[in-house]
Amino acid sequence: MSDISVSFPGHEQIPLREYAEKAYLDYSMYVVLDRALPFVGDGLKPVQRRIVFAMSELGLSAQSKHKKSARTIGDVIGKYHPHGDSASYEAMVLMAQPFSYRYPLVDGQGNFGSPDDPKSFAAMRYTESRLTAYSKSLLQELAQGTVDWQPNFDGTLKEPTMLPARLPNVLLNGTMGIAVGMSTDIPPHNLNEVVSACIRLLENSRTTVDELCEHIPGPDYPTEAEIITPNEDIRKIYATGNGGLRMRAIYEKENGDVIVTALPHQVSGAKILEQIAAQMRAKKLPMVEDLRDESDHENPTRLVIVPRSNRVNIEQLMNHLFATTDMERTYRVNLNVIGINGKPGVRNLKQILSEWLQFRLQTVTRRLEFRLDQVVDRLHILEGLLVAYLNIDEVIHIIRTEDEPKQVMMQRFELTGTQADAILDLKLRYLAKLEEFKLQGERDALDEERQKLELVLGSKQRMKTLIKKELLADAERYGDARRSPIVARDNAQPLNEADLLTSEPVTIILSQSGWVRAAKGHEIDPESLNYRSGDEFQHAARGRSNQLAVFLDSSGRAYSLSAHNLPSARSLGEPLTKPFSPPEGSRFLSVIAADPSDKIVLASNYGYGFVTATENLYGKVKAGKRVLTLPPGSIPLSPALVSDYETDLIACVTSGGHLLVYPLSELPELAKGKGNKLINIPPKIVKAGEEWVVGIAVLPVGGEILVWAGARYLRMSAKDLEHYTAERAKRGRKLPRGFQRVTAIELAE
């Protein structure tokens, strides 16, 4: 292998590790300082600053005619910002969008995007633009010696290193940016509030962040949506420079409908409707019947949500939508800016305002010094001109006769070269007597101005007073009322599935083969429905559409399913083996529809049972939840709903015609298990299968039960049942002749 290490004279050799590290650091510093982070003085990134400056150079003030955006972007990228035209144009569009910038810098004409789709703006060849009146606050003092200038990228032109902002634009419009290893997220603020805080800090440098928050209660976005972050959290953000803000949409009720009138910053109304519609398609929002977007020029945001009925709780519905859609949104805050020392860093509210006031003080000082120099120079020239007017004949003679009139005048009247040049540049028409009076008046006015400038420059207090007056004047010119109200709200919580559903009466029907369906209403006769060939009615339960339907199988397991997800009774239904996986050989016997806190009695045909809450039967496992422990050879009975655990009676009847009644409170409340003995059947008879418990019924106060023996039934009230009342686990008494072969027992309607 040949040696490829060749030494080149005049070239430096450094390790690759050092080169890569230096190159990456240089790149990261470029991204931080020249692309992503704003300067605290004018609050602009380089591309924004160059766009504003290029437009001012084109004469595109707020009073001028609009000019094609392509012309502006051509100047920007051709003279100052050698990057992509699309990126530069997008930056300009952003500064022209009133829904993106609190105080737009560009006045656009044409399609500059919409709140629904900010990037739907037309191409630069179709749009026109000019600067807004507010942008004057950034450019007004540019030609007054206030800033430093630097060569552009090719050295042919000069551009300002910053703009002499008269207002703290870094807070007013805010910005977002991602650099290398750091980012910035500064929210916009209200101009009047920020100016008030600046004046407070200007008058007392010891003002704390909390005291500044008395003037700036929080950000002020271009939208009218609410800021719902607590005041304590907002103050913590301003104290640390980091945190998060939450915004929530504003709605009102109109003729039973919900009208959304304001959305959080940069949230699309079309996206909100899409998110709500997706929930409706997934049947997770049945209380909403319709959606409409009625936004227009007069009502930029008007989203209509139509509830299914006037029984829908609007507050709960909107609380759910706040939690599950972008109608409530969190915004990150990171007050990371480039300071007046040229270094990036996260600053609190006081530090940002203090640095901007320092920048403003330097800018005003340079402006006054620049003007003072102009005044002094003009006074110097005026002194020379007045000397010439006092000796006008001699001056004319010197000019006509001398070869070097400048030198002669300088010696004769003790003039400087500048004064002599000004005299020589005079036109004949300015030699009139009236011009002399004008010069004297100008000299007196400039002399008075010079004295005032020197007084202001020589006094810190006068300088602060001047800055304060200018801030108040700009606030009067550009300020407006707060748009984003700050209202403390509780966190939005999504509703659970049961709360989301409308409560409508349904009848859940279970067939012997384990097929299930649900019919609207409680008037349906389950046995009259059509069933699959070889199948027939097994059990039914009346409940509500927002309840969970619980199915019990022959192994004592419980399975739960939302009632609103069940197929319609117009069809033959669906098998429960589709959502569940019951043990082999078991079959579904009964169904329950009740509220989670409602109590039921679970029992086996061997005469054991207990009371439990319906929620103890809920489970998400496909294999079901074991709740009833069955003795070998036994099966579960149809469960009975409890009205009042303390006052209800329970009636147990066996196939041999024995009936036992006793207070339900004698049965224990369990979450699961075998339970206690309900009625005594001799074990030998049970094991031989000669007698078993046919059913149970829970009798509320004033209720009646029906005891069936084939097609015949016996109606019995509480008074009739006194003869069969005894303690739990007793044998009970025989029913009358003809009803001793009991087939069923139920609560009379």
Side-chain angles (χ1 to χ4, degrees), residues 268-281 291 303 325:
S268 163
K271 184 178 180 182
I272 293 292
L273 294 179
E274 183 181 333
Q275 291 173 335
I276 299 175
Q279 294 189 43
M280 294 173 64
R281 287 193 297 270
L291 298 172
L303 308 181
T325 69

Side-chain angles (χ1 to χ4, degrees), residues 357-410:
L357 286 173
Q358 188 178 347
F359 164 80
R360 183 63 186 151
L361 182 63
Q362 294 173 357
T363 303
V364 173
T365 301
R366 293 182 63 168
R367 187 190 79 201
L368 296 181
E369 289 176 345
F370 180 79
R371 178 57 183 166
L372 181 60
D373 290 341
Q374 288 182 321
V375 169
V376 170
D377 290 345
R378 181 60 179 167
L379 283 172
H380 181 64
I381 292 174
L382 289 175
E383 291 295 335
L385 292 177
L386 287 173
V387 169
Y389 274 101
L390 291 174
N391 304 276
I392 188 64
D393 294 334
E394 188 175 353
V395 167
I396 294 174
H397 178 73
I398 291 173
I399 293 173
R400 293 184 62 187
T401 58
E402 297 293 337
D403 294 333
E404 296 288 340
K406 179 179 178 180
Q407 298 297 329
V408 174
M409 281 192 297
M410 290 172 62

Side-chain angles (χ1 to χ4, degrees), residues 58 238 368 488 534 603 651 677 733:
L58 285 170
Y238 285 140
L368 296 181
K677 183 176 285 190
R733 292 180 181 272

Side-chain angles (χ1 to χ4, degrees), residues 22 28 177 198 276 327 354 560 565 571 731 740:
K22 181 178 182 301
S28 64
C198 286
I276 299 175
M327 290 175 71
S354 297
S560 54
N565 286 332
S571 66
R731 181 66 168 146
Q740 294 182 357

